[in-house]
Amino acid sequence: MKIRKLSAILVATAILIGATSIASADYKTKLTLAVAHAATTDEAYVLTVPADLTLTGAGWNSVGNINVKHDPANTTTTFDTSKKVVVTATSSNDVSAPKLKSGTNSIAYTFKTASDADSKASLSFEFSAAEVNAEGGTSKSFGVDVADFSTAPNGTYEDYIVYT
């Protein structure tokens, strides 16, 4: 009888272990998350420079505005906040001493940010990312101070402003 009881206990234990094993079977649900950060910034911008200009005379002549704005036509992001745009205006005739030329004759001029500003051989304009990202961008004005040309020979004096 002892064997029967022992066998019954062993069979009952085996059934419980088997039932427990079946009840604890691992069922899995796989979770997948693909992370691909979209670019939130770029370096696309539009630079607009003044149109051709006929100077009005010696002294201060406003050239107009340089405008830099983010280029939303090419992208939906914003201009990279760690970057800036620097635009330098120089003379195509002489980088170190701008000149309007007619043949071999020339008339000197200098760049200025305003009529009462210091004259310079070139101008640099710095546009921060906040300025570039602003609605419509940001404009900065400048002009040229033309030297007295009362003794210059007749002619059409020209130069091109090069923006880099």
Side-chain angles (χ1 to χ4, degrees):
M1 207 67 152
K2 284 184 172 184
I3 293 182
R4 274 188 191 200
K5 283 185 181 180
L6 185 58
S7 295
I9 292 173
L10 287 176
V11 169
T13 304
I15 291 173
L16 285 175
I17 290 175
T20 306
S21 295
I22 293 172
S24 69
D26 291 334
Y27 295 98
K28 298 178 182 177
T29 300
K30 182 178 180 181
L31 299 176
T32 303
L33 174 63
V35 177
H37 292 287
T40 57
T41 61
D42 60 55
E43 295 178 26
Y45 64 90
V46 176
L47 171 66
T48 305
V49 298
D52 292 349
L53 173 70
T54 300
L55 300 172
T56 58
W60 167 256
N61 288 264
S62 175
V63 173
N65 294 320
I66 294 175
N67 179 274
V68 176
K69 68 178 181 176
H70 183 251
D71 186 7
N74 292 329
T75 181
T76 58
T77 61
T78 59
F79 188 77
D80 189 340
T81 55
S82 68
K83 305 286 182 179
K84 62 184 174 185
V85 177
V86 178
V87 178
T88 302
T90 57
S91 163
S92 67
N93 285 333
D94 189 340
V95 174
S96 62
K99 294 177 180 66
L100 297 163
K101 286 189 169 187
S102 177
T104 59
N105 300 311
S106 63
I107 300 170
Y109 72 89
T110 54
F111 291 99
K112 288 186 170 189
T113 55
S115 62
D116 59 349
D118 292 335
S119 294
K120 302 179 190 278
S122 66
L123 283 180
S124 268
F125 299 94
E126 191 170 293
F127 297 87
S128 68
E131 291 174 314
V132 175
N133 286 325
E135 183 69 31
T138 299
S139 293
K140 297 189 180 184
S141 62
F142 75 103
V144 293
D145 190 4
V146 179
D148 177 26
F149 56 86
S150 59
T151 60
N154 290 341
T156 301
Y157 291 77
E158 296 178 330
D159 189 15
Y160 288 93
I161 297 174
V162 179
Y163 301 94
T164 307

